[in-house]
Amino acid sequence: MKKLTKIGLVGLCAAGAWGLLLKPRRNHPAWGGLDGVRYAHRGLHDAAQGIPENSMAAFRRAVAYGYGAELDVHLMADGELAVIHDSSLKRMCGVPVEIEDLTAADLPHYPLLGTQETIPLLRDVLDLFEGKTPLIIELKVERDNANALTDAVMAMLKDWRGTYCVESFHPLVLLRLKEKYPEVIRGQLSENFLKARDVGTLSVPGRFILTNLLITAATSPDFIAYKWQDRRNPSLRLMRALYGVREAGWTIQDRQTLEALEQDGVIPIFEGFLPAQDEV
């Protein structure tokens, strides 16, 4: 009996420590501006219609339909900010060049998927969305530039009159936001890295920590943006139960899933379809 009691106490202590590691920041006063909105992943793109992802055409289409947008930002060699998902331009532009080696003046020379669209600057996307629908801005850290990237993005957003939040897979972005820009709504991106294929040089312990959100107490995110197929993760479920943490789900590709997740309080990030039944 004493042994069982001891095991029980150890278990309670472990559960308590786990809960403390998952404590987010709560009740950000500006959260209401982001809630109740559907977000088009990389803009409302449709390659079949000649509208590439993360293009101005995709963002204009999102605005026209009344959707917010999720977008990806990289820091270029001249300090400008480019909106594109991959560091390499091979997939979107067909050339083995990295965006971090380019300048703003180079971008017109790299058409997206063979269209007339080119890689936008963040400043141009912000001009489009100012006073309109909200943005989820993902920071793509490359070459250990988390602080420089975060500072550049926040300088761009300083006087912008729009609604936004900032998210990243990289905890150093959230730490920088926490330390220097605490007023900004910040989110931790995650998924099940233990089964994900493309994890780069991330170690097994690192994959476990990020999968289970065990850096949350240090980074204090306002929300968790989790791959919706992996959202049964016990840490995410515990954070919702204990702290009521806000959850965004990516990337949703059908209306039924979107509506089910919305009913569970998840902010939807979608692509590949139009959510409303009457949209054509």
PDB file of all heavy atoms in Angstrom, residues 128-142:
ATOM      1  N   LEU A 128      -2.595  45.974 -48.924  1.00  0.00           N
ATOM      2  CA  LEU A 128      -3.845  45.387 -49.408  1.00  0.00           C
ATOM      3  C   LEU A 128      -4.823  45.116 -48.274  1.00  0.00           C
ATOM      4  O   LEU A 128      -6.025  45.370 -48.399  1.00  0.00           O
ATOM      5  CB  LEU A 128      -3.541  44.093 -50.165  1.00  0.00           C
ATOM      6  CG  LEU A 128      -4.747  43.259 -50.604  1.00  0.00           C
ATOM      7  CD1 LEU A 128      -5.582  44.018 -51.630  1.00  0.00           C
ATOM      8  CD2 LEU A 128      -4.292  41.912 -51.165  1.00  0.00           C
ATOM      9  N   PHE A 129      -4.325  44.613 -47.143  1.00  0.00           N
ATOM     10  CA  PHE A 129      -5.196  44.174 -46.053  1.00  0.00           C
ATOM     11  C   PHE A 129      -5.504  45.258 -45.030  1.00  0.00           C
ATOM     12  O   PHE A 129      -6.339  45.057 -44.152  1.00  0.00           O
ATOM     13  CB  PHE A 129      -4.573  42.972 -45.331  1.00  0.00           C
ATOM     14  CG  PHE A 129      -4.835  41.662 -46.013  1.00  0.00           C
ATOM     15  CD1 PHE A 129      -3.999  41.211 -47.019  1.00  0.00           C
ATOM     16  CD2 PHE A 129      -5.930  40.883 -45.668  1.00  0.00           C
ATOM     17  CE1 PHE A 129      -4.230  40.007 -47.663  1.00  0.00           C
ATOM     18  CE2 PHE A 129      -6.181  39.675 -46.291  1.00  0.00           C
ATOM     19  CZ  PHE A 129      -5.330  39.235 -47.296  1.00  0.00           C
ATOM     20  N   GLU A 130      -4.857  46.399 -45.128  1.00  0.00           N
ATOM     21  CA  GLU A 130      -5.066  47.432 -44.116  1.00  0.00           C
ATOM     22  C   GLU A 130      -6.544  47.829 -44.038  1.00  0.00           C
ATOM     23  O   GLU A 130      -7.169  48.171 -45.039  1.00  0.00           O
ATOM     24  CB  GLU A 130      -4.206  48.654 -44.410  1.00  0.00           C
ATOM     25  CG  GLU A 130      -4.212  49.664 -43.269  1.00  0.00           C
ATOM     26  CD  GLU A 130      -3.062  50.644 -43.370  1.00  0.00           C
ATOM     27  OE1 GLU A 130      -2.990  51.327 -44.405  1.00  0.00           O
ATOM     28  OE2 GLU A 130      -2.251  50.724 -42.442  1.00  0.00           O
ATOM     29  N   GLY A 131      -7.092  47.752 -42.832  1.00  0.00           N
ATOM     30  CA  GLY A 131      -8.485  48.099 -42.620  1.00  0.00           C
ATOM     31  C   GLY A 131      -9.467  47.057 -43.111  1.00  0.00           C
ATOM     32  O   GLY A 131     -10.676  47.309 -43.119  1.00  0.00           O
ATOM     33  N   LYS A 132      -8.962  45.893 -43.497  1.00  0.00           N
ATOM     34  CA  LYS A 132      -9.842  44.840 -44.019  1.00  0.00           C
ATOM     35  C   LYS A 132      -9.766  43.615 -43.100  1.00  0.00           C
ATOM     36  O   LYS A 132      -9.854  43.759 -41.886  1.00  0.00           O
ATOM     37  CB  LYS A 132      -9.463  44.524 -45.465  1.00  0.00           C
ATOM     38  CG  LYS A 132      -9.589  45.728 -46.410  1.00  0.00           C
ATOM     39  CD  LYS A 132      -9.328  45.323 -47.835  1.00  0.00           C
ATOM     40  CE  LYS A 132      -9.443  46.524 -48.781  1.00  0.00           C
ATOM     41  NZ  LYS A 132      -8.319  47.451 -48.626  1.00  0.00           N
ATOM     42  N   THR A 133      -9.649  42.442 -43.674  1.00  0.00           N
ATOM     43  CA  THR A 133      -9.667  41.205 -42.875  1.00  0.00           C
ATOM     44  C   THR A 133      -8.312  40.949 -42.201  1.00  0.00           C
ATOM     45  O   THR A 133      -7.292  41.474 -42.636  1.00  0.00           O
ATOM     46  CB  THR A 133     -10.052  40.014 -43.764  1.00  0.00           C
ATOM     47  OG1 THR A 133      -9.200  40.001 -44.928  1.00  0.00           O
ATOM     48  CG2 THR A 133     -11.503  40.106 -44.191  1.00  0.00           C
ATOM     49  N   PRO A 134      -8.292  40.117 -41.136  1.00  0.00           N
ATOM     50  CA  PRO A 134      -7.053  39.913 -40.366  1.00  0.00           C
ATOM     51  C   PRO A 134      -6.035  39.016 -41.071  1.00  0.00           C
ATOM     52  O   PRO A 134      -6.370  38.261 -41.994  1.00  0.00           O
ATOM     53  CB  PRO A 134      -7.544  39.234 -39.081  1.00  0.00           C
ATOM     54  CG  PRO A 134      -9.023  39.373 -39.077  1.00  0.00           C
ATOM     55  CD  PRO A 134      -9.447  39.493 -40.485  1.00  0.00           C
ATOM     56  N   LEU A 135      -4.807  39.092 -40.580  1.00  0.00           N
ATOM     57  CA  LEU A 135      -3.705  38.276 -41.094  1.00  0.00           C
ATOM     58  C   LEU A 135      -3.109  37.411 -39.994  1.00  0.00           C
ATOM     59  O   LEU A 135      -2.960  37.855 -38.856  1.00  0.00           O
ATOM     60  CB  LEU A 135      -2.599  39.165 -41.659  1.00  0.00           C
ATOM     61  CG  LEU A 135      -2.909  39.930 -42.947  1.00  0.00           C
ATOM     62  CD1 LEU A 135      -1.762  40.866 -43.285  1.00  0.00           C
ATOM     63  CD2 LEU A 135      -3.178  38.971 -44.092  1.00  0.00           C
ATOM     64  N   ILE A 136      -2.758  36.186 -40.341  1.00  0.00           N
ATOM     65  CA  ILE A 136      -1.902  35.330 -39.522  1.00  0.00           C
ATOM     66  C   ILE A 136      -0.543  35.308 -40.222  1.00  0.00           C
ATOM     67  O   ILE A 136      -0.419  34.782 -41.334  1.00  0.00           O
ATOM     68  CB  ILE A 136      -2.466  33.910 -39.387  1.00  0.00           C
ATOM     69  CG1 ILE A 136      -3.821  33.939 -38.681  1.00  0.00           C
ATOM     70  CG2 ILE A 136      -1.480  33.016 -38.630  1.00  0.00           C
ATOM     71  CD1 ILE A 136      -4.504  32.575 -38.598  1.00  0.00           C
ATOM     72  N   ILE A 137       0.454  35.884 -39.590  1.00  0.00           N
ATOM     73  CA  ILE A 137       1.764  36.077 -40.214  1.00  0.00           C
ATOM     74  C   ILE A 137       2.747  35.069 -39.628  1.00  0.00           C
ATOM     75  O   ILE A 137       3.099  35.143 -38.449  1.00  0.00           O
ATOM     76  CB  ILE A 137       2.265  37.515 -40.001  1.00  0.00           C
ATOM     77  CG1 ILE A 137       1.248  38.507 -40.579  1.00  0.00           C
ATOM     78  CG2 ILE A 137       3.638  37.706 -40.633  1.00  0.00           C
ATOM     79  CD1 ILE A 137       1.544  39.953 -40.241  1.00  0.00           C
ATOM     80  N   GLU A 138       3.183  34.128 -40.468  1.00  0.00           N
ATOM     81  CA  GLU A 138       4.143  33.115 -40.007  1.00  0.00           C
ATOM     82  C   GLU A 138       5.557  33.551 -40.348  1.00  0.00           C
ATOM     83  O   GLU A 138       5.858  33.886 -41.502  1.00  0.00           O
ATOM     84  CB  GLU A 138       3.862  31.759 -40.646  1.00  0.00           C
ATOM     85  CG  GLU A 138       4.871  30.704 -40.186  1.00  0.00           C
ATOM     86  CD  GLU A 138       4.683  29.340 -40.813  1.00  0.00           C
ATOM     87  OE1 GLU A 138       3.619  29.099 -41.422  1.00  0.00           O
ATOM     88  OE2 GLU A 138       5.610  28.516 -40.701  1.00  0.00           O
ATOM     89  N   LEU A 139       6.436  33.512 -39.376  1.00  0.00           N
ATOM     90  CA  LEU A 139       7.836  33.876 -39.572  1.00  0.00           C
ATOM     91  C   LEU A 139       8.649  32.615 -39.826  1.00  0.00           C
ATOM     92  O   LEU A 139       8.641  31.683 -39.020  1.00  0.00           O
ATOM     93  CB  LEU A 139       8.383  34.627 -38.358  1.00  0.00           C
ATOM     94  CG  LEU A 139       8.130  36.149 -38.345  1.00  0.00           C
ATOM     95  CD1 LEU A 139       6.660  36.492 -38.493  1.00  0.00           C
ATOM     96  CD2 LEU A 139       8.710  36.774 -37.092  1.00  0.00           C
ATOM     97  N   LYS A 140       9.367  32.608 -40.965  1.00  0.00           N
ATOM     98  CA  LYS A 140      10.143  31.451 -41.396  1.00  0.00           C
ATOM     99  C   LYS A 140      11.618  31.712 -41.098  1.00  0.00           C
ATOM    100  O   LYS A 140      12.297  32.453 -41.815  1.00  0.00           O
ATOM    101  CB  LYS A 140       9.937  31.199 -42.883  1.00  0.00           C
ATOM    102  CG  LYS A 140       8.467  31.100 -43.313  1.00  0.00           C
ATOM    103  CD  LYS A 140       7.784  29.880 -42.751  1.00  0.00           C
ATOM    104  CE  LYS A 140       8.159  28.635 -43.484  1.00  0.00           C
ATOM    105  NZ  LYS A 140       7.307  27.473 -43.080  1.00  0.00           N
ATOM    106  N   VAL A 141      12.098  31.102 -40.034  1.00  0.00           N
ATOM    107  CA  VAL A 141      13.475  31.309 -39.591  1.00  0.00           C
ATOM    108  C   VAL A 141      14.433  30.492 -40.449  1.00  0.00           C
ATOM    109  O   VAL A 141      14.237  29.292 -40.649  1.00  0.00           O
ATOM    110  CB  VAL A 141      13.627  30.933 -38.110  1.00  0.00           C
ATOM    111  CG1 VAL A 141      15.089  31.014 -37.680  1.00  0.00           C
ATOM    112  CG2 VAL A 141      12.749  31.815 -37.244  1.00  0.00           C
ATOM    113  N   GLU A 142      15.472  31.134 -40.949  1.00  0.00           N
ATOM    114  CA  GLU A 142      16.526  30.468 -41.707  1.00  0.00           C
ATOM    115  C   GLU A 142      17.872  31.043 -41.272  1.00  0.00           C
ATOM    116  O   GLU A 142      17.970  32.228 -40.937  1.00  0.00           O
ATOM    117  CB  GLU A 142      16.353  30.684 -43.217  1.00  0.00           C
ATOM    118  CG  GLU A 142      15.052  30.145 -43.790  1.00  0.00           C
ATOM    119  CD  GLU A 142      14.998  28.625 -43.857  1.00  0.00           C
ATOM    120  OE1 GLU A 142      16.059  27.994 -43.764  1.00  0.00           O
ATOM    121  OE2 GLU A 142      13.876  28.072 -44.013  1.00  0.00           O
TER     122      GLU A 142
END
